[in-house]
Amino acid sequence: MRRSRGLTAALVLSLAGAGTGIGLVLMPQASAITQPVAFTADNLPTWQPNGIVWAMDEANGTVFAGGTFSAVRPPDGGSGAEQDAVNFVALDAATGAPTACKLSFTIGDGTATVRTLVVSKDKKTLYAGGYFGAVNGTPVSSLAAIDIASCTPKASFHPSFPATVRGLAVTDDTLYAAGDFGTVEGQTRERFAAVDASTGALKPFTANADEPGRAVEVTPDGKNVLLGGDFFSVNGSNTHALAVVDATTGKVAKTYSTIPSNSVVKDISTDATGFYTGNEGSGGGVFDGRIGLRLSDFGEKWRDRCLGATQFVLPYEGVLYSSSHAHDCTLEGQFPDGKRNFLLAQLTDHDGPAPAPVDGFVRSPRKLGWHPTANDGLGEGIGPRVMAVAAKNDVKYMWVGGEFTLINGKPQQALTRFASTGDVGAPTTPVASADSVKPGEAQVRWRTSYDQDDSKLTYRVYRNGSASPVATVAAESLEWERPQASWTDTTVKAGQSYTYRVTATDAAGNTSALSATASVTIPASVQTYPNQVRADGAQLYWRFDDTVSPYVADSSVAGNTSGVQLNAPALRQTPGAVTGASTSMGFNGTSQQVYSDHRQTVGTAYTIETWFKTNTTRGGKLVGFGSNTERSSGSYDKHVYMTNNGRLVFGASNGSAKTVSTGLFDTYNDNKWHHVVATQGAGGMTLYVDGQNKGSLNSASTQTYAGYWHVGGDNLSGWPTRPTSNFFAGQLDETAIYPTALTQAQVKNHFDLAKAPSDTVSKVTASEDTYINQGAPSTAYGTSASLAVRGTSAYETYLRFNLPAAPAGQVLKSASLQVKTTTQAGAGTADTVSVVPVTGTWSGAGTTFNTKPTLGTTPLGTLSAVPDGSALHNVELDTTAVSAVLGTSYSMGLTSTGTDPLWLWSSEATAADAAPQLVLTFGPK
């Protein structure tokens, strides 16, 4: 028996540097994988059968695998010749290679197969069941006992089972069998039987079932036996798929009626934490998941209703590992119908109070971060079918067998294994973005990464190319649950630009690549529209200013609900709905949408807000809530959609569809930006367009279900005035979801603020740059990838910018020069560098030390004590002086009085963010 490890966890946040971080976060443990998971997801080289593995067990560092195959071959790329292996192979747990033990399971007529293996408690005997007539030529009848030390069948052990044996369990003196048989040794034993573990003599135990038996397990005290299979009765008692009987007589001790008639029990396992069943079914209302049962009374403690044909369950150190092809865990509040998850791990018991029953069943304990991938493979296309844990040389190995032909995307047939050490897989690279809506604050956010065997990752934020992180944040994620994490930089200065990159590191120290650079310019004054959306409590805020696919950043204060782009909507469409630098996202009206990356339920009060622009005549959904992600939702409401003629409809369901629509002549497919807000709460449903109330309905209730927010499309079947298309064709911008019903005054305020004057930012890259060198007085450096500044002996850098004029009605509020130090050693300087006007003429091609221009004496700005290491640096410039030269071609020089050189990238460099640039912020007068 295996004992459960105690589990502890703490909710913490780790930060380095100034700022604040947000996310569901837990600090990584010191081990190489996230506990209590005991194995990495990195599969090890393992010999492969040429068929299907149905059964496994282990003893003393050797793993036994049985199935339907004729040979084994080395791992792909491994050395060695194929070896004969007739339905059985013994392998070294630590190397994955065959041992000297060779057994051949054969039958004279038909196809032999090994379907179940179990090792005796003393590790001396291996019992094999299936459909076969001989082992290494020794006659048997679908059940055999193998002496492990000599690897020979015990000739004296040959009970007659005339049909397939599918399950075995053993005690010190009794071997229990499950299968298709109706007699044993000529006596009636329907689907379940017991024989003497030493002699094979039939025992009085009688548990006759009307349909095949597939699984059998003995209680730790040896007093009872759990039976699993297809049956509907045992010894005349009505009980479907599962029963508990007396271990000596077979008398029924407990029956079950809660497993659907179209589902069966494929496996039963036990440890000190309870009993666990793996279930498979077909048809509507199927139960395909797992059940946890108490040891004390065999009652159900939880039920996992994920769909996907569970084949095997293995409790180990407080974790239940399972093989299945789970594809829909909606009923468990986890991933919706979609990709198949063949290998899962979850706690054997809840790590807190058990949740209240739903539909009469307690939900299962949470899933853990262990996600090796497989495929359907051969035969029935089930994927993995059986699992076993073996130990050798202080390392533990999880072995998996089945029908698969791929593991973790690479060829590997029927057998694979994972170790308790040696995690080498790095997390996926974070996708980062940054935003700022007011001076002194920049929000850096990223979709949490995915790691196959670590759910608790550490993220490091790097600013302006520095090699040292400015912040460290720990956050938790699973493959299907990857909330956005964020960190707020509170040391930024108005009018300056900053770049950020993020890495993810697992508990073993494996680190992802740096994310792509996220850039942000800090506004000189508060951006009134987005600041008000945040202040009014938006819990999801998609501004659609993203520069990379496929994720959409959440700009809400909480910042944990990123979006996932489906089928590549068009990014950064201009102009956006809000004045200033905002962009929007474009949708094609046939397949594109964005769905939230966070499963949730919506409360009794909520608000939907978005801006849209379209000329479509096919309608479509702008924003809505639905039960699925990439696939069309089965439950869907709380949505705003457009009819073919351009009217807007707000719909919510409380069992029947309730809608509020704009008037017959209120149409909005005029290719102009419009603002729509839909609210529901105690006051009912209200629809606002462009700040005006367009209708209300006294309907305060709505159905509750778990799901995802969708923008740009989802199911609309059955809704009134349904448009031709479920998908919206046009542009969407500034989508926000609130957990309250906004007031009409708040809605009108948002509409007015969107059109109010706001700051705009212009980034101007140097049109020409060069430097001069007193040590080479006749040399021009206009094509050099670097620039230099020093007092003695002199280096001077010259930059030319074509400055824009101030936009109409605006003035320059701030100006800064952004430069980036090179990667060479000693690129920084301990001296002060001054930025001054250039009053003489110069050119990159012709200017040398001998022909250098005249420099002004009044600095525009200074840069002090630049550290070594390639990084961005900002120099605040005199706003009045720069204002006076707007609309002209303007030159400035960089000079110093010291002896320590500063080396910068020039506009000819290929490094990211290399070119010097001016950042100009304009705002209302």
Side-chain angles (χ1 to χ4, degrees):
M1 300 299 170
R2 303 180 180 93
R3 299 199 175 273
S4 174
R5 178 188 304 161
L7 306 176
T8 59
L11 187 68
V12 298
L13 178 68
S14 174
L15 291 174
T20 58
I22 295 176
L24 292 175
V25 295
L26 294 110
M27 286 300 296
Q29 306 296 315
S31 61
I33 45 184
T34 302
Q35 297 296 314
V37 171
F39 307 95
T40 79
D42 303 314
N43 58 304
L44 301 174
T46 308
W47 279 58
Q48 309 168 69
N50 62 354
I52 299 170
V53 170
W54 296 93
M56 279 199 294
D57 208 343
E58 63 80 31
N60 308 316
T62 298
V63 173
F64 307 106
T68 311
F69 49 86
S70 61
V72 292
R73 65 185 186 277
D76 280 5
S79 61
E82 182 176 277
Q83 299 181 13
D84 290 339
V86 183
N87 301 315
F88 176 87
V89 64
L91 304 111
D92 186 287
T95 68
T99 69
C101 178
K102 311 292 183 183
L103 296 172
S104 178
F105 288 75
T106 58
I107 196 165
D109 185 22
T111 301
T113 183
V114 176
R115 291 302 179 105
T116 178
L117 294 169
V118 65
V119 171
S120 62
K121 303 303 180 185
D122 61 8
K123 301 292 185 179
K124 293 182 178 181
T125 303
L126 170 67
Y127 298 96
Y131 182 67
F132 46 83
V135 182
N136 284 2
T138 299
V140 292
S141 183
S142 294
L143 183 64
I146 312 298
D147 178 72
I148 292 176
S150 63
C151 187
T152 57
K154 296 182 177 181
S156 62
F157 185 95
H158 51 75
S160 177
F161 282 78
T164 303
V165 174
R166 300 183 180 275
L168 293 172
V170 66
T171 65
D172 290 336
D173 58 7
T174 303
L175 180 68
Y176 296 90
D180 300 348
F181 50 85
T183 63
V184 177
E185 293 291 308
Q187 299 186 43
T188 300
R189 294 291 190 275
E190 296 177 341
R191 283 83 186 194
F192 296 96
V195 299
D196 186 280
S198 298
T199 67
L202 184 65
K203 290 201 167 188
F205 175 89
T206 302
N208 292 330
D210 60 335
E211 296 289 346
R214 297 181 180 270
V216 59
E217 185 62 84
V218 184
T219 58
D221 60 11
K223 294 181 180 180
N224 291 284
V225 176
L226 278 77
L227 312 178
D230 301 15
F231 52 81
F232 290 87
S233 69
V234 175
N235 288 343
S237 297
N238 291 331
T239 184
H240 175 52
L242 185 65
V244 181
V245 299
D246 182 89
T248 302
T249 66
K251 180 181 178 181
V252 175
K254 186 174 181 63
T255 61
Y256 296 85
S257 61
T258 58
I259 296 176
S261 61
N262 57 354
S263 297
V264 302
V265 169
K266 297 295 292 290
D267 186 49
I268 305 173
S269 294
T270 186
D271 72 350
T273 65
F275 296 97
Y276 304 93
T277 71
N279 305 269
E280 176 187 83
S282 60
V286 68
F287 173 53
D288 261 354
R290 293 154 290 283
I291 297 175
L293 302 164
R294 294 184 291 272
L295 290 171
S296 57
D297 61 359
F298 313 114
E300 186 170 317
K301 57 181 181 177
W302 54 258
R303 178 172 294 211
D304 187 321
R305 292 183 289 171
C306 293
L307 296 176
T310 304
Q311 302 299 305
F312 200 83
V313 285
L314 176 57
Y316 182 75
E317 295 188 346
V319 175
L320 184 67
Y321 299 89
S322 59
S323 60
S324 68
H325 55 257
H327 58 87
D328 185 353
C329 283
T330 300
L331 293 175
E332 295 305 302
Q334 294 154 4
F335 51 87
D337 195 12
K339 72 178 288 286
R340 291 186 165 192
N341 296 271
F342 291 95
L343 296 168
L344 293 174
Q346 63 194 120
L347 297 174
T348 53
D349 289 296
H350 290 282
D351 50 355
V358 177
D359 299 329
F361 301 106
V362 175
R363 279 185 174 176
S364 62
R366 64 185 174 91
K367 303 290 192 300
L368 302 172
W370 188 68
H371 310 292
T373 65
N375 68 335
D376 294 347
L378 309 171
E380 298 177 37
I382 292 293
R385 283 191 174 274
V386 65
M387 313 172 84
V389 173
K392 190 170 184 179
N393 302 329
D394 297 324
V395 178
K396 300 167 185 175
Y397 299 90
M398 169 65 79
W399 281 72
V400 180
E403 298 177 343
F404 53 84
T405 58
L406 295 174
I407 292 292
N408 290 334
K410 297 180 179 179
Q412 180 68 31
Q413 182 171 337
L415 278 174
T416 191
R417 63 198 176 99
F418 309 91
S420 58
T421 62
D423 179 15
V424 297
T428 59
T429 303
V431 178
S433 65
D435 191 23
S436 178
V437 301
K438 58 185 177 182
E441 182 178 294
Q443 184 191 49
V444 186
R445 56 275 174 100
W446 58 94
R447 190 195 193 209
T448 48
S449 296
Y450 161 57
D451 189 279
Q452 285 187 293
D453 43 30
D454 289 276
S455 57
K456 302 165 188 175
L457 303 176
T458 299
Y459 300 88
R460 291 178 174 85
V461 182
Y462 298 86
R463 186 174 70 179
N464 288 351
S466 172
S468 299
V470 68
T472 300
V473 178
E476 186 169 1
S477 58
L478 298 171
E479 182 183 21
W480 56 83
E481 189 175 297
R482 296 168 64 182
Q484 178 175 290
S486 63
W487 174 75
T488 300
D489 189 347
T490 57
T491 64
V492 293
K493 296 181 179 180
Q496 297 191 9
S497 291
Y498 297 84
T499 65
Y500 300 90
R501 302 182 79 180
V502 182
T503 62
T505 303
D506 67 15
N510 301 306
T511 299
S512 73
L514 281 161
S515 70
T517 300
S519 302
V520 63
T521 299
I522 311 305
S525 58
V526 173
Q527 294 184 338
T528 55
Y529 181 87
N531 189 62
Q532 194 62 51
V533 170
R534 288 162 55 97
D536 283 342
Q539 63 180 11
L540 177 158
Y541 185 21
W542 295 343
R543 303 201 66 197
F544 299 121
D545 295 329
D546 307 273
T547 59
V548 295
S549 296
Y551 307 118
V552 173
D554 179 7
S555 293
S556 69
V557 174
N560 64 2
T561 309
S562 58
V564 179
Q565 301 166 29
L566 185 61
N567 296 320
L571 304 182
R572 299 190 66 78
Q573 302 296 291
T574 56
V578 177
T579 56
S582 174
T583 63
S584 65
M585 184 171 285
F587 298 83
N588 63 8
T590 58
S591 63
Q592 295 172 339
Q593 62 160 300
V594 175
Y595 61 84
S596 62
D597 199 21
H598 175 58
R599 184 180 175 89
Q600 65 181 99
T601 56
V602 179
T604 56
Y606 61 91
T607 295
I608 301 167
E609 178 179 38
T610 197
W611 288 80
F612 67 94
K613 178 182 178 183
T614 185
N615 60 0
T616 184
T617 57
R618 301 178 70 246
K621 183 177 292 191
L622 281 69
V623 184
F625 191 73
S627 59
N628 214 317
T629 53
E630 296 186 7
R631 300 187 180 186
S632 186
S633 294
S635 298
Y636 44 96
D637 76 329
K638 306 172 188 66
H639 49 205
V640 176
Y641 59 93
M642 178 174 281
T643 64
N644 288 347
N645 65 357
R647 296 173 65 197
L648 294 174
V649 181
F650 168 36
S653 174
N654 60 2
S656 62
K658 306 296 183 182
T659 62
V660 181
S661 305
T662 57
L664 186 62
F665 301 105
D666 287 337
T667 58
Y668 300 95
N669 54 348
D670 54 5
N671 217 29
K672 297 179 181 179
W673 280 111
H674 295 284
H675 179 233
V676 58
V677 177
T679 69
Q680 187 173 24
M685 300 168 60
T686 305
L687 177 64
Y688 303 92
V689 181
D690 294 340
Q692 302 298 312
N693 185 330
K694 293 295 181 178
S696 300
L697 182 68
N698 186 19
S699 178
S701 61
T702 181
Q703 61 182 346
T704 300
Y705 57 94
Y708 309 83
W709 287 105
H710 293 253
V711 169
D714 194 15
N715 204 348
L716 281 170
S717 297
W719 280 85
T721 57
R722 180 190 179 188
T724 300
S725 176
N726 289 338
F727 293 88
F728 176 76
Q731 293 169 247
L732 293 166
D733 199 8
E734 303 290 332
T735 299
I737 305 295
Y738 305 78
T740 59
L742 296 185
T743 65
Q744 183 164 0
Q746 288 175 307
V747 172
K748 182 62 165 59
N749 186 37
H750 288 197
F751 176 71
D752 292 339
L753 289 175
K755 301 306 177 184
S758 64
D759 292 353
T760 58
V761 175
S762 292
K763 294 185 178 181
V764 184
T765 301
S767 59
E768 192 169 15
D769 53 27
T770 191
Y771 76 99
I772 55 91
N773 177 4
Q774 188 176 13
S778 299
T779 302
Y781 294 92
T783 59
S784 172
S786 58
L787 304 167
V789 184
R790 184 174 61 194
T792 306
S793 58
Y795 295 142
E796 291 178 0
T797 284
Y798 312 122
L799 309 172
R800 179 176 288 116
F801 297 94
N802 296 320
L803 300 181
Q810 294 192 327
V811 296
L812 185 68
K813 287 191 169 183
S814 67
S816 66
L817 171 66
Q818 180 180 285
V819 292
K820 187 175 186 180
T821 44
T822 68
T823 54
Q824 72 182 64
T829 180
D831 299 330
T832 297
V833 173
S834 296
V835 181
V836 296
V838 175
T839 59
T841 61
W842 65 276
S843 69
T847 297
T848 68
F849 180 81
N850 289 335
T851 62
K852 66 188 181 78
T854 303
L855 300 182
T857 58
T858 302
L860 300 171
T862 58
L863 185 64
S864 300
V866 178
D868 288 343
S870 182
L872 289 174
H873 300 279
N874 285 276
V875 185
E876 293 185 66
L877 303 180
D878 185 297
T879 304
T880 301
V882 177
S883 295
V885 293
L886 290 175
T888 71
S889 178
Y890 183 66
S891 295
M892 56 185 67
L894 278 67
T895 184
S896 170
T897 59
T899 59
D900 188 11
L902 172 68
W903 289 94
L904 306 172
W905 290 122
S906 76
S907 56
E908 283 78 18
T910 58
D913 306 304
Q917 65 176 355
L918 288 179
V919 181
L920 308 176
T921 301
F922 299 96
K925 293 181 179 180

